[in-house]
C-alpha cells in the first residue's frame, strides 16, 4: 500500500510529510533503552536515517562524501523490526500457554545478516562522465525469537520466520554507492555498523512489547554473504586462491583428491590470530612458509561471518561446472588431452543449440539462478546425452545428475529435516558416490583442481546442517531479491537529487518490508 496506492498512482512523500502510520513503521519512532547502555553509541532513540559515512566525510575522496551512503542506526532498526513483530510475539506466547505478565525477560532474538554488492546500478540517462556505479546493500532478517522461562532448561521458540528468503522479511539497514571490491570505503561505512553490533552483544534491550517492558538479547549470524564478500570480510585471499575453502584449510589439490572428508575449522577468531601471525611473522619464515602457516589469511578480518555455504551461489557455481562437463562430454575430452579453442567453441554452440531447442533455454553471459535451476534437471541431462556418442558416458552423466538432484534439496530447503528427511540421511553416501564418479569417470576435469562450491557441496553440507539445522534458510536470497527492489525504488520512488536519493530508497524499502 505504502509503495503503490490502490489507484495505481505512485504516492511519493518526502520523510517529513509521511502519515503517522508510516512514521510508526520507520525506525526512530519507539522508545527503548539498553542495559547497560551501549558503548560508543548515543543513547537517544529517536534517530531516523543517518549518513552512512558519519564522521568520515573528510577522508573519502572522488565523490561528494555526504551522498554515498545512508543507513539506520542498527539498534534503532532492530527495535522497529521487533515492534513490527509485536503481534506475532504476543500470539506466540499465548499459543505456548505462557502467562504474558511473567515473561518479561529472557527473550533471545536471532538475526541473519546479509550483505551483497550489485554491479551496474547506473542511471541509464543523463549527461556527464560515465561512472561505473555500483552499490552495496547490507540488510538483516529476524529469524527467530525464543524465550527461556525462569527455572526452565530449554528455550521455547515463540516466533520463527517462515519465509526467511523473502524480500518481505529482509530489512535494509545500510545502502551505499560503493564497489564491493573497494575494501577501504566499504569498511569505512560498515565500521560503525560493526561497532554497534559488537556493543549490542554485551547488553540487553529493554522495550515495551504488548504493554509490558521486556528484555531481549541478540545473536547475529552473518550468513547471507557470497564467497567473494566472505573472503573480503574475513581477510582471506580472493577466490582463485590455492586455499579453496572459507570453511576449512584444505588446498585445491587436496580437495580434489580427498573430496568428501573435511571438517569445518576456520572461524573469525582463528582468522584474527592468523592475521597477527602474518603481520608479525614471529618465526621469521619465508613468504611461502608463512602463507602456508596462516592458510591464506593475509588481511585483517573486518567482520565476523558464520562459516556456512551460500545456497544460491552454490547452485550457480555447480551449474556452471556441469555446463562445462556437458561441453567436455560432447567433445569427448576424456579421449584426447588438449582441444583447441575452436573445437571448444564448436561444442559450446552445439550445447547451446540443443538446450535452446529442447528446453527453450537461451544462452546467458553469466550464469544466473534461473538458468542454473533449469539446467540442473534430468531433462537437461537427457537432452545433452543425445549429443554424446558413447553409451557408457551417457550413463555416467545421467548418474552424476541423478546424484546431484538427490543432494540438492538438502542444502536448498529451508528446514531439510522436515522437507526432505530421506535425502538428508543419504547425503553423505550420495556425496561419496558423486565424488567417486568425478575422480574416476570424470578424472580429466578433477585432477588436482576442483571449484570452491563443488568442494563445499561435497565436503561440508552435513556438518553445517547438523550445526544450524538448515542451509537454505540462512542463504542470501532475500537480500538478492531486495536488489531488484532497490533498482525499482531508485527509478520510481526517489528524488533525483544525489543528496536525497538513497534516503528515499532506504525509507521506501523499509516500509516495503513492514
Amino acid at each position: 500500500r505504502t509503495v503503490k496506492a490502490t489507484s495505481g498512482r505512485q504516492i511519493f512523500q518526502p520523510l517529513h510529510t509521511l502519515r503517522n502510520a508510516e512514521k510508526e513503521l520507520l525506525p526512530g519512532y519507539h522508545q527503548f533503552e539498553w542495559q547497560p547502555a551501549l558503548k560508543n553509541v548515543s543513547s537517544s532513540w529517536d534517530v531516523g536515517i543517518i549518513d552512512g559515512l558519519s564522521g568520515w566525510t573528510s577522508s573519502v575522496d572522488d565523490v561528494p562524501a555526504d551522498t554515498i551512503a545512508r543507513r539506520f542506526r542498527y539498534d534503532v532498526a532492530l527495535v522497529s523490526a521487533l515492534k513490527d513483530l509485536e503481534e506475532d510475539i504476543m500470539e506466540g506466547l499465548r499459543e505456548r500457554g505462557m502467562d504474558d505478565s511473567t515473561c518479561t525477560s529472557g527473550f533471545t532474538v536471532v538475526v541473519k545478516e546479509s550483505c551483497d554488492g550489485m554491479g551496474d546500478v547506473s542511471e541509464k540517462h543523463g549527461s556527464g562522465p560515465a561512472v561505473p556505479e555500483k552499490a552495496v546493500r547490507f540488510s538483516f532478517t529476524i529469524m527467530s525469537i525464543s524465550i527461556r522461562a525462569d527455572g526452565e532448561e530449554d528455550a521455547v521458540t515463540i516466533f520463527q520466520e517462515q519465509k526467511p528468503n523473502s524480500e518481505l522479511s529482509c530489512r535494509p539497514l545500510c545502502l551505499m554507492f560503493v564497489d564491493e571490491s573497494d575494501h577501504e570505503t566499504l569498511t569505512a561505512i560498515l565500521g560503525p555498523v560493526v561497532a554497534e553490533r559488537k556493543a549490542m552483544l554485551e547488553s540487553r534491550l529493554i522495550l515495551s512489547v504488548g504493554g509490558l517492558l521486556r528484555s531481549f538479547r541478540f545473536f547475529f549470524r552473518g550468513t547471507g554473504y557470497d564467497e567473494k564478500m566472505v573472503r573480503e570480510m574475513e581477510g582471506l585471499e580472493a577466490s582463485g586462491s590455492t586455499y579453496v575453502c572459507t570453511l576449512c584449510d584444505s588446498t585445491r589439490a587436496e580437495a580434489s583428491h580427498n573430496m568428501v572428508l573435511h571438517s569445518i575449522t576456520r572461524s573469525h577468531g582463528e582468522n584474527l590470530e592468523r592475521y597477527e601471525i602474518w603481520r608479525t611473522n614471529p618465526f621469521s619464515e619465508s613468504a611461502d612458509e608463512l602463507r602456508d602457516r596462516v592458510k591464506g589469511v593475509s588481511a585483517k578480518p573486518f567482520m565476523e561471518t558464520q562459516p556456512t555455504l551460500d545456497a544460491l551461489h552454490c547452485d550457480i557455481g555447480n551449474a556452471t561446472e556441469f555446463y562445462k562437463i556437458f561441453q567436455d562430454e560432447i567433445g569427448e575430452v576424456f579421449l584426447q588431452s588438449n582441444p583447441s579453442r575452436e573445437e571448444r567453441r564448436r561444442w559450446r554452440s552445439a550445447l547451446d543449440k540443443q538446450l535452446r531447442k529442447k528446453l527453450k533455454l537461451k544462452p546467458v553471459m553469466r550464469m544466473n539462478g534461473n538458468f542454473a535451476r533449469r539446467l540442473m534437471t534430468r531433462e537437461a541431462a537427457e537432452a545433452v546425452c543425445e549429443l554424446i556418442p558413447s553409451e557408457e558416458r551417457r550413463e555416467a552423466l545421467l548418474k552424476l545428475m541423478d546424484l546431484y538432484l538427490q543432494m540438492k534439496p538438502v542444502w536448498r530447503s529451508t528446514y531439510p529435516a522436515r522437507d526432505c528427511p530421506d535425502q538428508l540421511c543419504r547425503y553423505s553416501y550420495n556425496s561419496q558416490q558423486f565424488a567417486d564418479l568425478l575422480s574416476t569417470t570424470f578424472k580429466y576435469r578433477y585432477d588436482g583442481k576442483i571449484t570452491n562450491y563443488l568442494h563445499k557441496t561435497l565436503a561440508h553440507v552435513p556438518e553445517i546442517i547438523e550445526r544450524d539445522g538448515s542451509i537454505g534458510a540462512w542463504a542470501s536470497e532475500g537480500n538478492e531479491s531486495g536488489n531488484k527492489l532497490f533498482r525499482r525504488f531508485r527509478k520510481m520512488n526517489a528524488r533525483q537529487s544525489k543528496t536525497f536519493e538513497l534516503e528515499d530508497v532506504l525509507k521506501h524499502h523499509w516500509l516495503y518490508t513492514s
Side-chain angles (χ1 to χ4, degrees), residues 137-430:
R137 301 175 351 102
F138 184 92
S139 52
F140 68 90
T141 305
I142 291 187
M143 295 292 280
S144 67
I145 303 174
S146 53
I147 179 164
R148 198 144 137 210
D150 301 328
E152 294 289 317
E153 276 300 292
D154 297 332
V156 182
T157 304
I158 55 172
F159 166 80
Q160 182 123 35
E161 178 55 62
Q162 285 311 300
K163 294 203 183 118
N165 284 322
S166 150
E167 67 262 34
L168 291 168
S169 58
C170 180
R171 300 172 172 272
L173 183 74
C174 177
L175 304 178
M176 44 203 147
F177 287 129
V178 184
D179 181 347
E180 60 178 324
S181 319
D182 174 1
H183 190 74
E184 287 68 31
T185 316
L186 190 65
T187 47
I189 295 175
L190 288 179
V193 174
V194 175
E196 284 160 22
R197 169 205 208 197
K198 192 165 167 253
M200 287 188 285
L201 289 174
E202 293 151 20
S203 191
R204 302 285 164 94
L205 170 72
I206 311 294
L207 174 69
S208 149
V209 172
L212 291 173
L213 288 175
R214 305 174 196 262
S215 103
F216 296 84
R217 50 186 304 201
F218 292 91
F219 287 100
F220 298 97
R221 307 198 53 216
T223 57
Y225 300 91
D226 57 15
E227 172 150 340
K228 181 178 173 192
M229 191 66 95
V230 168
R231 285 175 178 268
E232 190 167 328
M233 297 285 188
E234 290 283 12
L236 300 163
E237 294 169 349
S239 46
S241 160
T242 40
Y243 294 98
V244 61
C245 188
T246 51
L247 298 111
C248 70
D249 294 337
S250 162
T251 61
R252 202 172 294 276
E254 284 164 22
S256 76
H257 291 305
N258 158 20
M259 289 188 175
V260 183
L261 302 165
H262 294 273
S263 57
I264 298 177
T265 53
R266 292 191 190 260
S267 66
H268 185 65
E270 186 197 48
N271 289 341
L272 280 166
E273 287 163 24
R274 284 179 166 173
Y275 167 70
E276 275 307 298
I277 291 179
W278 172 260
R279 196 176 63 81
T280 53
N281 193 0
F283 305 104
S284 317
E285 292 163 304
S286 72
D288 289 343
E289 295 167 314
L290 182 61
R291 179 165 170 259
D292 186 55
R293 180 182 294 276
V294 297
K295 304 292 179 206
V297 178
S298 54
K300 190 179 166 80
F302 166 67
M303 176 187 277
E304 179 168 7
T305 61
Q306 262 296 329
T308 178
L309 176 152
D310 171 39
L312 174 71
H313 291 92
C314 186
D315 240 10
I316 293 171
N318 291 339
T320 310
E321 193 49 30
F322 263 84
Y323 185 78
K324 291 183 177 154
I325 292 179
F326 288 163
Q327 269 168 256
D328 289 350
E329 285 302 305
I330 291 173
E332 304 195 278
V333 176
F334 63 99
L335 297 176
Q336 44 171 337
S337 49
N338 41 2
S340 68
R341 280 181 74 178
E342 275 63 52
E343 290 179 277
R344 282 194 182 282
R345 207 166 287 138
R346 268 211 314 279
W347 306 333
R348 181 171 180 171
S349 66
L351 173 60
D352 281 341
K353 208 157 103 190
Q354 181 76 339
L355 290 174
R356 176 175 262 161
K357 193 171 83 185
K358 297 282 181 201
L359 300 167
K360 308 199 171 23
L361 260 185
K362 291 190 191 66
V364 286
M365 281 275 292
R366 267 180 47 212
M367 182 79 66
N368 59 39
N370 292 333
F371 188 93
R373 277 177 211 113
R374 300 271 314 278
L375 184 70
M376 302 311 283
T377 54
R378 177 81 201 204
E379 295 85 68
E382 280 166 1
V384 173
C385 280
E386 292 176 17
L387 303 177
I388 295 175
S390 128
E391 179 60 39
E392 57 175 322
R393 301 302 292 184
R394 276 182 282 193
E395 274 173 27
L397 195 60
L398 286 172
K399 174 146 192 255
L400 198 64
M401 182 60 90
D402 285 339
L403 284 169
Y404 184 79
L405 293 174
Q406 282 291 304
M407 288 153 62
K408 183 176 150 173
V410 177
W411 42 263
R412 280 312 282 177
S413 76
T414 309
Y415 302 112
R418 179 192 71 193
D419 302 336
C420 53
D422 307 349
Q423 280 117 321
L424 180 58
C425 294
R426 293 179 54 91
Y427 194 92
S428 295
Y429 174 74
N430 284 341

Side-chain angles (χ1 to χ4, degrees), residues 13 39 62 109 251 277 360 391 434 463 485 505:
Q13 265 114 1
K39 286 196 188 76
D62 299 342
V109 183
T251 61
I277 291 179
K360 308 199 171 23
E391 179 60 39
F434 191 87
E463 188 180 355
L485 291 174
V505 174

